[in-house]
């Protein structure tokens, strides 16, 4: 189960995130999302736990907790919304 972790300090690393969530179960992955141009943290990340029950424990245990000076916002990750694939034109077709 994938968990969204918001309000991360810019100093938090993938490993910091992993260690913070390991006490709740097996962490399959922990990723701080970074800006593709500056490589700086965008202030949020994702943790994937091996089971839904561990993930729920982690959400309950970490939401509102402090990590490196900032209070975390932790909840179940929602699927990404589809983005329009066009170039600013609805329908995506060519105009003649």
């Amino acid at each position: 189960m994938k968990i969204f972790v918001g309000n991360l300090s810019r100093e938090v690393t993938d490993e910091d995130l992993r260690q913070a969530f390991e006490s709740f179960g097996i962490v399959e992955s922990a990723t701080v999302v970074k800006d593709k141009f500056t490589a700086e943290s965008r202030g949020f990340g994702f943790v994937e736990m091996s089971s839904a029950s561990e993930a729920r424990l982690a959400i309950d245990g970490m939401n509102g907790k402090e990590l490196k000076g900032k209070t975390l916002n932790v909840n179940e990750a929602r699927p990404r919304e589809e983005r329009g694939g066009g170039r600013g034109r609805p329908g995506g077709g060519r105009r003649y």
Side-chain angles (χ1 to χ4, degrees):
M1 181 178 189
K2 201 167 199 178
I3 301 169
F4 170 82
V5 185
N7 201 37
L8 288 176
S9 166
R10 297 211 183 268
E11 290 83 40
V12 173
T13 65
D14 293 352
E15 188 57 30
D16 294 331
L17 204 53
R18 176 180 293 281
Q19 288 177 0
F21 281 79
E22 278 181 334
S23 63
F24 299 97
I26 298 169
V27 175
E28 292 182 354
S29 67
T31 307
V32 175
V33 176
K34 296 186 169 102
D35 182 276
K36 66 180 177 181
F37 298 111
T38 65
E40 290 183 10
S41 169
R42 293 189 58 199
F44 67 95
F46 295 95
V47 174
E48 195 160 356
M49 304 292 290
S50 64
S51 75
S53 60
E54 291 175 349
R56 284 187 196 91
L57 285 172
I59 290 168
D60 292 342
M62 292 298 293
N63 190 39
K65 297 293 184 199
E66 190 174 299
L67 181 63
K68 294 208 174 191
K70 294 193 89 176
T71 304
L72 301 179
N73 175 21
V74 182
N75 50 51
E76 184 176 342
R78 293 178 292 203
R80 278 181 82 161
E81 291 183 14
E82 291 291 323
R83 291 184 174 188
R87 292 201 168 133
R89 291 187 199 165
R94 288 177 56 141
R95 294 194 177 175
Y96 297 97

